[in-house]
Amino acid sequence: MSNQKPVGILTATKINDAGAPAHVLASKLNGDLLLYQLGNMDTVSSQITLDTGVLSSCWHPTSNTKAYTGNLDGTIWDVDLEKSIVNPMNSSHLLGVRKLMFLDENQILSGSWDKSLALTDIRSPLNHKYRVGLPGKVLAMDSSFNSYETVVSMTDRIIHVYDKRDFSKPVNVRESGLRYQVRDLKILPNRKGYATCSIEGKASIEYFSEQDLHLNYAFKCHRTPQQEVDLVSPVNCIQFDERERLFTGGSDCRICEWNYHEKKRLKQFSKEPWPVLTMSIREKYLVYGLSDDGYKNMVSERNEYSVEESSVGLKILD
C-alpha cells in the first residue's frame, strides 16, 4: 500500500502588517500560499502554489500585496500576491528556512535547519548580505521591529540573544528553560524577555537581564486529565495581543488565554476539530491554523495515514 504524505500541513498564518487588518496569508508544507479576506475566512480569495514546500512566510511591513516565503529547499521567494508572480531571491541556505521575518522595511532575517542565520537586503540585485553560522538548527525566533532585540532558539536547548544591528556575535548565550524541543518563541510586549513553548506541554517566560533571572518561570499547559496521568500535548504556537495577554495553541486542539504577569489562565476556548499549529494576532483579531498532525505519531513510515484537510479560523478578542 502506498503512503499519503502529510503535504497539506499549515506552516504559518499571517495577518497583513500594513494599514488596517484586512488580509490573511496562509502557507502550507505542500507549497500552497492561500490569501483570505479577514471578513470572509471561509473562502480563499486567491491561491499560488510554489514548486517547493513552504516552511515560513511573512508580509512586507509596508505592503498588502507583497509577501516572502522561506522554503523547504533552502530558497527564499518574493511573492506578488496581486499579480500572482513569484521570484527567487539569492539565498545562502542549504536546508529548509524554518523562520523568516523583516527587521526593518528592507532587511529580512532568515533562520535555517542548516545551522545558520542570513540577512537579506531586498533592494540589492544580489539580495544576500551576510550569513552567520550557529551551533544548532533554528527552531524558532523573533525580533522586535521597533527595537533591537532578536532571539533565536535552536536544537540542544541553545538560545542566542542578538542586537539586530550586529549579528556577528550574540550579546547573550543561554540554555532554554524548557527541557524539550521549542516550537515557538515571542518577545514579551515590554521587550524585557521572551516566551517559549515546547512539545512537552509547557511554556516559559524568561528575562534578558541578569537581575531579572529570578523571575523566570515555566508552566504546564495543554494537558488533558486522564484516569491516572495527564495526556501531554505539544504547545505549537504562542502570541501576545495589545493588552499583553498571552495566547497558546496546542495539539490538544485548543487555544488558551493567559495573564502571564499573574501566572494565571484566563480562558480556554472551545475545542477545535484539529490541532492548532499556527496563530497570528493583530488588534482584536486572532487568526489560527488547524492541521491534522497525527502523522507524527506513526510508528513506521510503512503505516498508511490519510491527512485531513487543513483550515484557517478567526476569533474576535474581547
Side-chain angles (χ1 to χ4, degrees), residues 299-317:
V299 178
S300 169
E301 291 183 358
R302 295 181 179 180
N303 290 35
E304 185 170 312
Y305 189 85
S306 178
V307 178
E308 299 293 334
E309 187 64 32
S310 298
S311 62
V312 178
L314 171 68
K315 295 186 184 298
I316 307 298
L317 302 177

Side-chain angles (χ1 to χ4, degrees), residues 26 45 56 64 66 106 113 118 126 133 151 153 157 164 255 282 303 315:
S45 59
S56 54
N64 285 337
K66 294 275 285 186
N106 300 307
W113 288 337
L126 297 178
V151 186
S153 175
R157 301 177 64 194
K164 71 179 184 182
I255 295 172
R282 189 167 173 220
N303 290 35
K315 295 186 184 298

Side-chain angles (χ1 to χ4, degrees), residues 67-316:
Y68 295 80
T69 66
N71 305 318
L72 192 60
D73 61 0
T75 58
I76 297 174
W77 289 74
D78 174 344
V79 182
D80 188 320
L81 297 167
E82 187 175 44
K83 299 178 181 178
S84 296
I85 297 174
V86 295
N87 293 301
M89 301 178 68
N90 187 18
S91 171
S92 65
H93 294 302
L94 303 176
L95 296 174
V97 180
R98 183 64 188 93
K99 290 294 179 179
L100 190 73
M101 61 189 60
F102 272 87
L103 298 181
D104 55 37
E105 294 181 6
N106 300 307
Q107 296 186 101
I108 298 177
L109 180 68
S110 53
S112 172
W113 288 337
D114 68 1
K115 301 183 180 181
S116 75
L117 292 176
L119 197 59
T120 301
D121 192 324
I122 63 173
R123 299 167 298 181
S124 168
L126 297 178
N127 297 130
H128 176 61
K129 194 171 181 180
Y130 62 79
R131 180 179 183 273
V132 178
L134 298 172
K137 297 179 180 180
V138 174
L139 301 176
M141 67 182 190
D142 193 24
S143 183
S144 179
F145 192 80
N146 296 315
S147 188
Y148 303 119
E149 302 86 4
T150 300
V151 186
V152 181
S153 175
M154 292 164 268
T155 48
D156 297 324
R157 301 177 64 194
I158 303 168
I159 300 283
H160 279 190
V161 181
Y162 292 91
D163 183 321
K164 71 179 184 182
R165 295 168 294 185
D166 180 10
F167 283 97
S168 62
K169 184 179 180 181
V171 295
N172 189 271
V173 176
R174 58 176 64 182
E175 187 176 77
S176 170
L178 299 176
R179 292 178 57 192
Y180 296 97
Q181 187 182 89
V182 167
R183 281 284 176 85
D184 200 6
L185 181 154
K186 290 292 180 295
I187 291 176
L188 301 182
N190 60 16
R191 302 196 298 273
K192 292 184 178 181
Y194 54 91
T196 61
C197 58
S198 77
I199 62 173
E200 62 180 313
K202 281 187 176 181
S204 72
I205 304 295
E206 303 180 41
Y207 290 88
F208 294 131
S209 172
E210 294 287 335
Q211 297 177 342
D212 292 334
L213 292 183
H214 67 284
L215 299 175
N216 291 358
Y217 70 93
F219 60 96
K220 297 177 181 179
C221 51
H222 297 275
R223 300 184 176 211
T224 306
Q226 303 292 309
Q227 289 184 348
E228 297 182 359
V229 295
D230 288 347
L231 176 62
V232 178
S233 297
V235 188
N236 300 310
C237 47
I238 195 164
Q239 285 283 341
F240 291 96
D241 73 352
E242 293 179 342
R243 293 168 54 188
E244 296 197 13
R245 293 177 296 184
L246 173 66
F247 294 82
T248 56
S251 287
D252 60 346
C253 309
R254 292 189 182 275
I255 295 172
C256 295
E257 175 187 332
W258 308 83
N259 182 328
Y260 77 93
H261 297 290
E262 297 183 3
K263 306 179 184 180
K264 179 181 179 182
R265 190 175 76 184
L266 302 176
K267 184 176 183 179
Q268 180 173 256
F269 291 86
S270 299
K271 190 172 184 178
E272 301 290 343
W274 300 110
V276 182
L277 297 192
T278 67
M279 284 194 300
S280 178
I281 295 178
R282 189 167 173 220
E283 297 180 5
K284 64 179 180 179
Y285 303 104
L286 187 158
V287 172
Y288 56 96
L290 305 177
S291 287
D292 176 10
D293 65 352
Y295 71 93
K296 297 176 182 177
N297 299 322
M298 290 193 303
V299 178
S300 169
E301 291 183 358
R302 295 181 179 180
N303 290 35
E304 185 170 312
Y305 189 85
S306 178
V307 178
E308 299 293 334
E309 187 64 32
S310 298
S311 62
V312 178
L314 171 68
K315 295 186 184 298
I316 307 298

